[in-house]
Amino acid sequence: MSAQLAGPDELSDDERAAVESLLYRLADDELVLAERYTEWQVRAPTLESDLAISNIAQDELGHARLWYDLLQDFGHTESELIFERDPSHFRHATLVELPFESGDWADAIVRGYLYDVAEKLRLESLEETSYPRIADRVAKIMSEENYHLEHAQNWLERLTSDDEGTERVQSSVDRLFPYALTLFEDGDASAEIDHFGIRTESLESMREQWLDTVVPFLASLGVETPQEIRDGNPDELLPEHLGRDGSHTDDWTNLHDDMTRSYRELGRSEAHRIMADPDDEQ
């Protein structure tokens, strides 16, 4: 385990840049995925699934807040982090910004599964992080993410119980798998994040573990992954827009505009909380 880093006010410039870079990825992924999940509320195929996806969206928003709160240690405000930040400055993977295929529940489930397996690996890589403020939040988030993963796996098994459902899942895998790989792409200060022990697994290692998990599971359901994956060439499958480097699809620009419209139209200059988060006291 790497030596523990100091508190936010005592980090070197390089340490601070590494911590901030990782926190932006963590927070932005969760925020944008939650925004997409809210589009399924009252549209899911059953009342049970409607409640489940609503709870998952709420969980992801809560996780985003926990990570954004740590960025506020460095002097950022919630308004600057979310509502006033230029869309190109967000560092989420492009998987989470894509719109859902119209009315296709399989899209939501496949996306959730691919993301949740990656998120489990990412959180495990933070359990022994050298930055204690991150470690304080991992256990709470992981307990909820485990439920998200179980929900996605159960639905995948249910959807692939007949030919029609399997075809829909296959179509979603074909569309989303390249974008899921962007979860493991480098961003700012990636080498420093590993060097300072802020995470204990490299992105390359996590991608290999992810592939070792999702490929056989999907195969067990009769769903194939892309040929590039089966040939051992995942880099050939990467899409044009990666997200981590600030390159995003037009869909993100539209979603960001929707997400911030009320803030702008009401002429806000700061975001107000209804209730303080107990974790703020940590």
Side-chain angles (χ1 to χ4, degrees), residues 264-278:
R264 289 181 282 106
E265 290 181 350
L266 292 173
R268 302 280 181 162
S269 59
E270 59 180 318
H272 298 282
R273 290 192 180 186
I274 297 174
M275 182 183 297
D277 191 321

Side-chain angles (χ1 to χ4, degrees), residues 4 36 43 48 62 67-68 77 92 100 103 120 122 126 134 150 152 154 196 198 205 207 213 239 255 260 275:
Q4 293 286 286
R36 281 302 186 201
R43 298 180 181 178
E48 179 187 29
W67 300 132
Y68 284 128
T77 67
H92 58 271
F100 293 114
K120 183 177 188 295
R122 178 162 66 174
L126 298 175
I134 290 177
E150 181 181 356
N154 289 342
F196 292 124
I198 304 169
S205 173
R207 187 174 75 170
T213 300
L255 180 60
T260 60
M275 182 183 297

Side-chain angles (χ1 to χ4, degrees), residues 172-184:
S172 295
V173 168
D174 292 343
R175 184 174 89 96
L176 296 173
F177 211 95
Y179 291 93
L181 293 171
T182 67
L183 290 162
F184 305 100

Side-chain angles (χ1 to χ4, degrees), residues 10 20 22 25 54 132 156 162 175 235 239 269 276:
E10 303 170 48
E20 284 192 274
L22 180 60
R25 298 179 213 181
S54 296
L156 280 174
D162 58 43
R175 184 174 89 96
D235 288 338
S269 59

Side-chain angles (χ1 to χ4, degrees), residues 73-90:
D73 289 346
F74 301 108
H76 306 294
T77 67
E78 186 167 317
S79 296
E80 293 168 344
L81 290 168
I82 300 174
F83 299 104
E84 297 173 6
R85 190 157 41 124
D86 188 277
S88 66
H89 294 167
F90 280 73

Side-chain angles (χ1 to χ4, degrees), residues 18 33 36 38 44 54 58 75 85 93 103 111 122 163 165 167 188 223 226 236 246 249 265 268:
L33 184 62
R36 281 302 186 201
T38 60
S54 296
Q58 184 176 16
R85 190 157 41 124
R111 185 182 316 215
R122 178 162 66 174
D163 291 343
E167 289 177 7
D188 300 331
V223 177
E236 294 181 3
T249 66
E265 290 181 350
R268 302 280 181 162

Side-chain angles (χ1 to χ4, degrees), residues 183-249:
L183 290 162
F184 305 100
E185 283 301 290
D186 286 337
D188 300 331
S190 283
E192 289 78 6
I193 291 169
D194 292 336
H195 173 72
F196 292 124
I198 304 169
R199 66 176 170 228
T200 58
E201 290 280 351
S202 68
L203 290 170
E204 181 178 2
S205 173
M206 283 189 280
R207 187 174 75 170
E208 287 303 311
Q209 294 176 63
W210 180 78
L211 289 170
D212 287 343
T213 300
V214 301
V215 171
F217 178 70
L218 291 172
S220 74
L221 302 177
V223 177
E224 288 189 343
T225 45
Q227 186 65 48
E228 292 87 347
I229 299 299
R230 286 177 278 140
D231 290 343
N233 300 312
D235 288 338
E236 294 181 3
L237 196 62
L238 284 167
E240 176 184 358
H241 303 291
L242 303 177
R244 298 294 193 225
D245 58 356
S247 64
H248 293 283
T249 66

Side-chain angles (χ1 to χ4, degrees), residues 47-63:
L47 177 59
E48 179 187 29
S49 56
D50 198 333
L51 293 172
I53 202 70
S54 296
N55 287 334
I56 290 172
Q58 184 176 16
D59 286 346
E60 303 294 25
L61 284 171
H63 302 165

